[in-house]
Amino acid sequence: MLAGQVAATFEGPSDLVGFSLGSAVAVTIAAQRPELVRRLVLIAGWTHLADSRLELGLRTWARLADTDPESYAAYGPLMAFSPGFVSEVGVKTLMAGDPPRGALRQIDLALRVDVRDALPKITAPTLVVGAAKDYLIPVEHSRALHAAIPGSAYAELDSGHVVLHERPEEVTRLIRNFVTNETNG
């Protein structure tokens, strides 16, 4: 459903960037509607619920929402950011505000992601970006995405899962260079 909604916004071939669960959406669009995707960038994604650690982490996060709201609020930043970033910004900053709306629905969907059959169908030039200190979706999952997409390029950043927040300039540079067909380094 999400892939269909996103694809409906395209007026023609476009560069498509998917982050986290958005990677699964982007993969689905690129596989089902290749005429719409000029270049594809997948950041901190995964192919399927490939390991018990990933499943345990997602299920624990969802369970905390029902049983311990304060721990639920803390668990997200703890898993989403690298240790250095957590230390740098501090607990007070990370605990400010409410958890993102829709997070439980997002976790439920994340537990059901399986894009393995779609990956070999991707024909658009693809860049996969992994986050070396990703404790939510370990970097091995990004590496598996890269390995499953024929001809894809790979880059890895020293960051937690929310690499867009921790390393925005580096991510922007990688995307810009890739979509303008420059060197990805």
Side-chain angles (χ1 to χ4, degrees):
M1 179 180 76
L2 291 173
Q5 290 173 339
V6 172
T9 67
F10 286 37
E11 293 181 9
S14 300
D15 298 321
L16 180 58
V17 178
F19 165 70
S20 192
L21 183 58
S23 286
V25 174
V27 162
T28 302
I29 294 167
Q32 292 178 353
R33 301 287 310 275
E35 75 280 4
L36 294 179
V37 182
R38 190 177 78 89
R39 293 193 188 280
L40 178 65
V41 179
L42 306 173
I43 303 169
W46 66 102
T47 63
H48 67 294
L49 204 61
D51 67 73
S52 296
R53 188 198 174 283
L54 173 57
E55 182 177 0
L56 181 64
L58 291 170
R59 290 192 188 284
T60 298
W61 195 10
R63 197 169 29 260
L64 287 171
D66 292 331
T67 61
D68 186 350
E70 185 177 344
S71 293
Y72 169 73
Y75 189 80
L78 181 65
M79 297 301 286
F81 296 107
S82 67
F85 187 82
V86 169
S87 294
E88 181 182 320
V89 300
V91 171
K92 186 175 182 178
T93 299
L94 292 172
M95 294 295 291
D98 295 321
R101 286 188 47 201
L104 287 176
R105 288 192 329 245
Q106 185 174 343
I107 293 167
D108 179 60
L109 183 54
L111 286 164
R112 294 181 278 128
V113 163
D114 188 342
V115 295
R116 290 176 289 180
D117 291 343
L119 297 171
K121 298 174 185 172
I122 294 174
T123 57
T126 302
L127 171 65
V128 178
V129 180
K133 294 179 180 164
D134 190 339
Y135 298 116
L136 184 61
I137 310 293
V139 70
E140 291 79 16
H141 294 278
S142 290
R143 294 175 187 154
L145 263 176
H146 164 57
I149 300 172
S152 64
Y154 183 77
E156 194 166 297
L157 298 175
D158 185 30
S159 175
H161 185 69
V162 190
V163 63
L164 302 170
H165 193 73
E166 286 192 42
R167 301 275 188 252
E169 296 86 12
E170 293 171 60
V171 172
T172 300
R173 186 185 83 247
L174 283 170
I175 294 169
R176 183 180 298 118
N177 290 348
F178 185 73
V179 301
T180 60
N181 205 22
E182 297 174 14
T183 303
N184 287 323

